[in-house]
Amino acid sequence: MLSQRVEKALNDQIRVEAESSQVYLSMASWAEVKGLEGISQFMYKHSDEERMHMLKLVKYVNERGGHAHISDLKAPKTDFGSFQNMFQELYEHEIFVSNSINELVHVTLEEKDYATHNFLQWYVAEQIEEEALARTILDKINLIGNDKGGLYLFDRDVQQITVESAAAANPEE
Ligand code: OFO
């Protein structure tokens, strides 16, 4: 059985994951209307992943005798200025999510809920990978600068930038 405090903290995280999914969906749509097909596909996929993160939490809360709450969500913005800025926002958003997961893990330790603590390790590992991926993308964007050919290749290849290729490109991390 979940303590009320852990259940509330998990429900807060359900909202964070759902809002993340909405943020990336809005980025996908913005990129699509700008003709950035590859970037848009990347963001649609990322949005789906966040929904999967949310569902995993919903199932866990209900399995443990709690009640996962599906709440209304903050509307994401609809204009991201430039794709460079958009990826910077993605990176900052992932750091925000990591902090939120860390707070949640902290609550499980205070409540001596080791099962939930164990369950959350998947999220802790996932956040390390997502932050590394976002940093790799930002590095590539910096390399491109204002080169149109570079942007063309980036848009074509961004879907191939995976956590594994990011790790291979940054062996020191
Ligand atoms: Fe990208 O964050 Fe979920 O966990």
Side-chain angles (χ1 to χ4, degrees):
M1 202 56 188
L2 298 169
S3 74
Q4 274 188 358
R5 190 166 167 231
V6 169
E7 183 173 348
K8 158 95 176 58
L10 286 167
N11 269 317
D12 288 346
Q13 190 62 32
I14 286 172
R15 179 199 290 261
V16 167
E17 301 293 346
E19 285 180 347
S20 301
S21 181
Q22 295 293 91
V23 167
Y24 299 142
L25 185 57
S26 186
M27 288 180 175
S29 179
W30 180 86
E32 192 160 54
V33 297
K34 294 282 170 198
L36 299 165
E37 189 53 31
I39 292 173
S40 144
Q41 290 309 318
F42 175 90
M43 290 298 180
Y44 278 123
K45 198 165 130 250
H46 213 82
S47 171
D48 285 347
E49 281 170 14
E50 298 302 343
R51 180 176 158 79
M52 190 270 280
H53 298 169
M54 176 200 68
L55 283 175
K56 213 171 149 77
L57 284 161
V58 167
K59 295 277 176 203
Y60 180 78
V61 169
N62 290 344
E63 257 168 40
R64 294 288 314 282
H67 181 184
H69 288 175
I70 309 305
S71 53
D72 57 352
L73 304 173
K74 199 166 77 197
K77 61 182 194 178
T78 52
D79 189 348
F80 296 91
S82 67
F83 83 94
Q84 291 94 332
N85 180 61
M86 187 172 72
F87 277 104
Q88 181 64 35
E89 289 192 21
L90 177 141
Y91 178 54
E92 283 162 18
H93 189 81
E94 287 302 330
I95 290 177
F96 160 76
V97 174
S98 297
N99 290 338
S100 170
I101 298 275
N102 285 343
E103 283 302 317
L104 176 55
V105 169
H106 183 70
V107 170
T108 62
L109 284 181
E110 282 189 349
E111 294 288 304
K112 298 192 169 64
D113 183 343
Y114 300 112
T116 303
H117 183 267
N118 190 40
F119 165 77
L120 289 173
Q121 294 314 302
W122 182 86
Y123 287 84
V124 171
E126 176 72 15
Q127 282 313 116
I128 292 173
E129 292 184 348
E130 293 207 10
E131 280 186 35
L133 179 64
R135 269 202 310 277
T136 300
I137 291 176
L138 286 179
D139 287 348
K140 285 196 194 300
I141 289 174
N142 276 336
L143 282 176
I144 298 167
N146 290 323
D147 180 56
K148 284 259 185 297
L151 169 58
Y152 173 81
L153 292 176
F154 175 78
D155 185 55
R156 194 193 64 182
D157 295 341
V158 66
Q159 292 171 81
Q160 265 73 56
I161 305 175
T162 59
V163 169
E164 291 74 28
S165 71
N170 298 293
E172 74 279 10
E173 286 186 2

